[in-house]
């Protein structure tokens, strides 16, 4: 198991390399409590789902996407199950021209290969070749299109408990009344607060949670029919229809566009 952590002092100063990268994996859930640091951070997943919370919201981020956090933004991170990924920390002066607010982006093959190369570097001044790779990372962050694949979590602890259970098992077939009973709220409250706090009705939110897991499974080369059945869809065609409506591409076309492993 590789270590994803870095010396806190290194990511709380603009001294040193313009970009510092850590990469690794672990078989258990990974979690960090709320914190902030002086460098900007781009965090990406190669395997598994990440839940990233900031001051005004939270996202569920599937594999092959990344979250950008500008310097000094408070955030907390949790993985759902086994996880492999990376974090690139950008010195604050170099964040000029990068997104001013937290956002999700699509990770290009070039960006992924550049950060994984940078993850092998010692924490020391960059030579000319490594400086060019660091600039590629910055350019890729600067020009990456936003990725509309996040899933907001409700703030109410009761609803958040139900939401996390659905993230862990998106195929769970309990209906709204059963989930409301499990969360110790009325079905009316569950419906109203889910919509108010996430922008999605409960049924639509659950559908999107399934699609988030589908993205992860497609990235892991699972057959489309297997994905559909494992996530509780009535048929592969029903899954393909919903996926295409949400993401503008069929599951097969989405997978073809993924960076090569």
């Amino acid at each position: 198991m590789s270590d994803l952590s870095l010396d806190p002092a290194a990511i709380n100063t603009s001294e040193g390399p313009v970009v510092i990268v850590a990469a690794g994996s672990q078989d258990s859930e990974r979690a960090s409590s709320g914190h902030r640091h002086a460098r900007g951070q781009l965090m990406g997943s190669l395997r598994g789902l990440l839940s990233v919370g900031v001051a005004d919201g939270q996202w569920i981020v599937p594999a092959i996407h990344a979250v950008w956090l500008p310097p000094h933004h408070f955030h907390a991170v949790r993985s759902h199950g086994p996880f492999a990924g990376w974090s690139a920390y950008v010195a604050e002066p170099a964040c000029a021209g990068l997104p001013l607010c937290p956002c999700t982006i699509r990770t290009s093959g070039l960006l992924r290969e550049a950060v994984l190369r940078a993850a092998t570097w010692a924490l020391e001044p960059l030579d000319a070749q490594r400086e060019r790779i660091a600039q590629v990372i910055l350019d890729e962050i600067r020009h990456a299109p936003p990725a509309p694949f996040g899933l907001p979590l409700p703030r109410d602890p009761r609803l958040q408990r139900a939401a996390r259970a659905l993230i862990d098992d998106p195929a769970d077939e309990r209906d709204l009344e059963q989930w409301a009973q499990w969360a110790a709220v009325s079905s009316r409250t569950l419906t109203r607060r889910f919509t108010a706090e996430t922008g999605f009705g409960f049924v639509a939110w659950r559908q999107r949670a399934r699609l988030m897991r589908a993205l992860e499974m497609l990235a892991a080369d699972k057959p489309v029919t297997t994905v559909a059945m494992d996530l509780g869809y009535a048929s592969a065609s029903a899954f393909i229809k919903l996926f295409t409506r949400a993401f503008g591409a069929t599951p097969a076309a989405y997978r073809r566009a993924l960076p090569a492993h």
Side-chain angles (χ1 to χ4, degrees):
M1 179 180 67
S2 301
D3 190 2
L4 278 160
S5 62
L6 284 171
D7 181 351
I11 59 177
N12 277 298
T13 177
S14 291
E15 300 297 324
V18 64
V19 175
I20 301 171
V21 180
S25 63
Q26 61 186 61
D27 295 329
S28 59
E29 183 177 280
R30 180 178 181 85
S32 67
S33 57
H35 63 285
R36 68 183 82 224
H37 32 73
R39 285 178 173 249
Q41 180 181 9
L42 185 73
M43 66 180 75
S45 170
L46 301 172
R47 174 173 57 92
L49 292 175
L50 277 178
S51 170
V52 181
V54 295
D56 57 355
Q58 299 192 58
W59 299 283
I60 303 300
V61 185
I64 68 86
H65 294 85
V67 170
W68 167 249
L69 298 164
H72 307 293
H73 267 75
F74 185 84
H75 61 280
V77 182
R78 174 195 170 202
S79 70
H80 300 273
F83 173 75
W86 49 266
S87 282
Y89 299 91
V90 180
E92 188 167 2
C95 292
L98 302 185
L100 297 176
C101 297
C103 62
T104 58
I105 66 171
R106 174 70 178 268
T107 307
S108 68
L110 178 58
L111 175 58
R112 187 179 75 162
E113 293 307 315
V115 296
L116 293 179
R117 173 72 65 85
T120 66
W121 300 343
L123 191 59
E124 60 188 19
L126 304 182
D127 59 21
Q129 181 186 37
R130 291 179 175 182
E131 182 65 35
R132 287 192 294 270
I133 294 174
Q135 291 304 317
V136 166
I137 294 172
L138 297 179
D139 285 343
E140 287 294 290
I141 298 172
R142 186 175 296 113
H143 298 298
F149 297 148
L151 179 67
L153 289 174
R155 295 182 298 276
D156 186 304
R158 299 167 298 176
L159 273 61
Q160 192 172 119
R161 178 169 170 258
R164 292 193 182 282
L166 276 168
I167 291 167
D168 291 337
D169 182 12
D172 192 308
E173 295 183 351
R174 279 178 284 184
D175 62 20
L176 187 148
E177 292 286 347
Q178 291 170 315
W179 277 111
Q181 183 178 12
W182 185 81
V185 296
S186 69
S187 57
R188 181 178 179 182
T189 296
L190 182 71
T191 300
R192 176 174 54 83
R193 299 203 68 160
F194 240 97
T195 302
E197 296 183 13
T198 72
F200 294 95
F202 178 78
V203 173
W205 191 97
R206 178 168 62 180
Q207 194 64 257
R208 196 160 178 85
R210 288 180 174 178
L211 291 173
M212 294 296 100
R213 182 57 56 86
L215 294 177
E216 178 190 0
M217 295 174 74
L218 290 170
D221 292 327
K222 298 287 186 182
V224 171
T225 299
T226 299
V227 175
M229 296 300 100
D230 285 355
L231 293 180
Y233 289 94
S235 66
S237 60
F239 164 64
I240 292 169
K241 182 178 180 180
L242 285 166
F243 188 99
T244 304
R245 182 188 304 162
F247 300 131
T250 65
Y254 175 86
R255 179 157 50 202
R256 285 195 297 271
L258 296 178
H261 293 292

